[in-house]
């Protein structure tokens, strides 16, 4: 489940320090909070990969952290996602450390990977 993203260019954020360091970088950072649930496997991960592969514009950095495994890193990431409540899976786009786009679990469940990809491509076009 991790490799589906890491094998496609996503860097893992495994510690709170890595999360903070990444979000201090200039440019855009896509964060996929991965999970073992079916909506992550069926919609979120495939949708993120489709968006990255099919968008003319793309984030400068592709990153992932895994809920239930990278516990401290996910906790730190969720601090950066406030006021959104904890959600996994979730997909966030940051620009110069500011959260500019968020897709929560309730926006992933029951939606196709294509719908997730279209949502993200629109965000890439707006912010990347």
């Amino acid at each position: 489940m991790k490799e589906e993203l890491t094998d496609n260019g996503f860097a893992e954020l495994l510690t709170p320090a890595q999360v903070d360091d990444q979000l201090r970088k200039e440019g855009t950072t896509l964060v996929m909070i991965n999970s073992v649930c079916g909506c992550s496997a069926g919609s979120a991960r495939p949708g993120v990969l489709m968006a990255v592969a099919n968008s003319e514009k793309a984030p400068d950095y592709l990153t992932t952290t895994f809920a239930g495994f990278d516990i401290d890193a996910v906790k730190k990431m969720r601090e950066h996602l406030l006021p959104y409540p904890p959600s996994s899976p979730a997909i966030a786009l940051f620009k110069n450390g500011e959260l500019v786009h968020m897709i929560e679990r309730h926006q992933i469940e029951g939606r196709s990977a294509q719908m997730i990809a279209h949502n993200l491509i629109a965000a890439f076009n707006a912010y990347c």
Side-chain angles (χ1 to χ4, degrees):
M1 288 176 249
K2 283 186 170 200
E3 290 174 353
E4 187 172 359
L5 296 173
T6 59
D7 285 353
N8 286 284
F10 282 71
E12 288 187 281
L13 302 175
L14 302 173
T15 68
Q18 287 177 325
V19 169
D20 284 341
D21 289 346
Q22 179 61 51
L23 295 181
R24 281 190 202 101
K25 293 180 180 178
E26 290 287 320
T28 50
T29 298
L30 181 67
V31 179
M32 168 71 197
I33 298 179
N34 206 347
S35 71
V36 297
C37 70
C39 62
S40 189
S43 298
R45 287 192 304 267
V48 166
L49 294 174
M50 275 186 225
V52 170
N54 293 294
S55 182
E56 291 181 16
K57 296 182 178 182
D60 298 308
Y61 305 98
L62 304 174
T63 66
T64 184
T65 192
F66 207 110
F69 292 92
D70 309 325
I71 294 168
D72 293 334
V74 170
K75 183 177 176 184
K76 175 55 79 174
M77 181 58 69
R78 286 179 172 156
E79 291 175 15
H80 292 280
L81 297 175
L82 291 172
Y84 292 96
S87 177
S88 56
I91 307 160
L93 183 64
F94 291 85
K95 184 170 186 173
N96 299 327
E98 298 280 331
L99 180 63
V100 294
H101 189 73
M102 178 74 173
I103 301 176
E104 300 174 85
R105 179 186 178 102
H106 72 86
Q107 297 167 306
I108 296 170
E109 288 178 305
R111 290 177 177 77
S112 69
Q114 292 82 2
M115 290 176 76
I116 303 299
H118 286 295
N119 180 311
L120 287 172
I121 289 169
F124 298 167
N125 287 333
Y127 299 107
C128 297

